[in-house]
Amino acid sequence: MQIDVVTLFPEMFQSPFSIGIFKRAIEHELISINLHNIRDYAHDKHRTVDDYPYGGGAGMVLKPEPIFEAVESIKSDIPQKQGGGVLPVILLTPQGRPFSQQVAMELAKYSHLVLICGHYEGVDERVREYLATDEISIGDYVLSGGELAAMVVVDAVVRLLPGVLGSEVSSANDSHTHGLLEYPQYTRPAVYRGWSVPEVLLSGNHAQIARWRSEQAIRRTMERRPELLDKANLYSEEVQLVDRLK
Ligand code: 6GU
């Protein structure tokens, strides 16, 4: 997957993308991440990227020209033979559709993504209307820019790509993949400061362990995020368990 990020602060991405799963995925050529500084596409010698809002009001608005030209430059580098479907051009904005594991799985199907990080009080509306194909928000709170949101989206998407995680099961078992929170995990020592690991996990009885984990995941989801249960994809035994626990 090729990921192009259009941002005012490319240096913010350097450290996160140079460690952990990103480092490995880039080294193994599973992903390539290109950072594009919006300022490089400014038209004047002061490299102006923002301006006062028409109609007045506080704050500045990101100008359309540098953003359009940055994305057009990315598009012009795509080999024509690839053609294929539409290239997702995603604007990160608090007004976008809510990001979720479902959306991450949807984006993981593409071979190329373009992410535009918004800033200041906003982005000229023509960017949303005529350049972006999608708008995403990572939650109901306001960040000073789309950069952290873009990193969240890239992390959630990249870890779903085949070969990025150690084993294929690692992301299949995650919280939210089936719509439930994850069950508790333990490792050695079996007793730490007098706190014991649940006995069933030491039993070697795999069917019993699977049943315990399923019950824990359901209990935890009921306690913490009951609204997730309505949307969850449950097996019939799990549905019965939910009814029993209710
Ligand atoms: Cl995508 N951008 C900004 N600036 N704030 C946010 C956000 C995005 N998602 C939640 N808050």
Side-chain angles (χ1 to χ4, degrees):
M1 176 182 274
Q2 177 180 340
I3 302 170
D4 288 274
V5 183
V6 175
T7 169
L8 281 173
F9 300 108
E11 61 281 14
M12 277 182 77
F13 294 84
Q14 239 98 62
S15 144
F17 288 167
S18 63
I19 57 168
I21 68 154
F22 292 118
K23 184 177 183 218
R24 224 188 126 259
I26 293 166
E27 281 170 2
H28 289 64
E29 296 183 352
L30 301 168
I31 57 165
S32 68
I33 300 179
N34 308 311
L35 302 170
H36 308 268
N37 193 334
I38 296 174
R39 216 170 275 284
D40 291 343
Y41 296 86
H43 286 184
D44 61 324
K45 70 167 197 280
H46 298 109
R47 309 225 289 161
T48 307
V49 293
D50 58 347
D51 206 339
Y52 298 100
Y54 273 120
M60 302 292 274
V61 175
L62 280 180
K63 293 164 64 58
E65 314 93 305
I67 300 179
F68 270 84
E69 286 164 36
V71 172
E72 280 157 7
S73 144
I74 293 163
K75 285 180 176 170
S76 72
D77 286 341
I78 302 173
Q80 284 307 302
K81 56 175 160 51
Q82 253 186 290
V86 283
L87 170 66
V89 177
I90 304 165
L91 180 64
L92 282 310
T93 161
Q95 298 160 65
R97 63 178 172 135
F99 191 58
S100 66
Q101 193 64 27
Q102 291 305 315
V103 176
M105 291 193 275
E106 178 193 320
L107 298 182
K109 293 177 187 150
Y110 291 96
S111 60
H112 190 179
L113 299 174
V114 177
L115 303 177
I116 303 171
C117 304
H119 245 272
Y120 304 117
E121 304 312 305
V123 177
D124 188 283
E125 185 67 16
R126 288 163 290 192
V127 170
R128 308 173 185 287
E129 219 175 331
Y130 304 112
L131 187 63
T133 63
D134 196 359
E135 296 173 45
I136 286 177
S137 160
I138 62 161
D140 293 336
Y141 40 82
V142 179
L143 304 169
S144 22
E147 282 76 13
L148 289 170
M151 289 179 218
V152 165
V153 169
V154 171
D155 188 304
V157 169
V158 165
R159 62 193 303 292
L160 294 174
L161 302 178
V164 167
L165 296 185
S167 68
E168 297 294 324
V169 290
S170 331
S171 80
N173 284 342
D174 283 347
S175 283
H176 295 295
T177 302
H178 301 292
L180 292 178
L181 301 183
E182 214 175 322
Y183 52 76
Q185 296 274 25
Y186 295 88
T187 187
R188 288 186 287 183
V191 183
Y192 176 64
R193 297 189 177 184
W195 302 310
S196 302
V197 170
E199 214 164 328
V200 58
L201 297 179
L202 313 175
S203 70
N205 184 333
H206 297 293
Q208 224 177 316
I209 291 170
R211 231 174 302 123
W212 181 85
R213 285 178 167 168
S214 159
E215 177 175 331
Q216 292 296 314
I218 288 168
R219 278 184 188 279
R220 191 160 271 201
T221 309
M222 285 178 84
E223 282 166 20
R224 301 181 182 187
R225 301 291 305 279
E227 81 282 4
L228 292 182
L229 276 178
D230 308 326
K231 285 188 282 175
N233 256 326
L234 299 182
Y235 297 110
S236 64
E237 306 95 82
E238 293 174 320
V239 176
Q240 286 165 15
L241 189 53
V242 170
D243 293 337
R244 210 154 16 95
L245 293 174
K246 270 179 182 161

